[in-house]
Amino acid sequence: MSRKYEGLVVLDTKGKEGSVDEFVSEVGKVIEANGATLDEVKQLGRKTFAYNARQIEGGVYVNYFFNAAPEAIEDIKEALDLVEGIYMHQYRRLG
């Protein structure tokens, strides 16, 4: 049974070669490779953190809307933990 989810991913683009769009696309491919079907990707832009965490001042916020089975969320989390340049990611079920 597939459900709709929203994933908020904060990217640390410091020292990343290439464009932000390529990095956003790369993360989307990782999500799809772990059993999800992307519906929409919204780049929310670069935001500064309230305090310096892990020696970075801010990150690029991206919302991924996708359909996936509930058990696929753990696979997605584990896969994105391995991607260098992702500061933080969290998910919530919609509807």
Side-chain angles (χ1 to χ4, degrees), residues 11-48:
L11 306 174
D12 175 14
T13 57
K14 190 176 189 179
K16 241 339 198 172
E17 296 164 11
S19 72
V20 173
D21 291 336
E22 289 173 6
F23 195 17
V24 169
S25 175
E26 179 185 321
V27 172
K29 288 177 186 173
V30 171
I31 291 171
E32 286 184 321
N34 285 282
T37 306
L38 280 178
D39 290 336
E40 183 182 1
V41 177
K42 268 190 199 174
Q43 290 190 40
L44 304 174
R46 183 166 191 75
K47 299 182 192 249
T48 304

Side-chain angles (χ1 to χ4, degrees), residues 4-92:
K4 189 157 180 82
Y5 291 92
E6 172 188 11
L8 175 66
V9 179
V10 180
L11 306 174
D12 175 14
T13 57
K14 190 176 189 179
K16 241 339 198 172
E17 296 164 11
S19 72
V20 173
D21 291 336
E22 289 173 6
F23 195 17
V24 169
S25 175
E26 179 185 321
V27 172
K29 288 177 186 173
V30 171
I31 291 171
E32 286 184 321
N34 285 282
T37 306
L38 280 178
D39 290 336
E40 183 182 1
V41 177
K42 268 190 199 174
Q43 290 190 40
L44 304 174
R46 183 166 191 75
K47 299 182 192 249
T48 304
F49 298 146
Y51 60 92
N52 282 356
R54 296 189 221 159
Q55 285 74 38
I56 65 170
E57 296 172 0
V60 176
Y61 284 66
V62 184
N63 265 350
Y64 292 89
F65 297 94
F66 58 91
N67 289 304
E71 52 275 358
I73 297 299
E74 281 304 313
D75 295 337
I76 292 168
K77 286 180 182 179
E78 290 172 6
L80 290 182
D81 281 341
L82 301 175
V83 176
E84 189 175 328
I86 293 182
Y87 174 74
M88 187 264 325
H89 52 100
Q90 62 186 21
Y91 307 89
R92 70 180 182 128

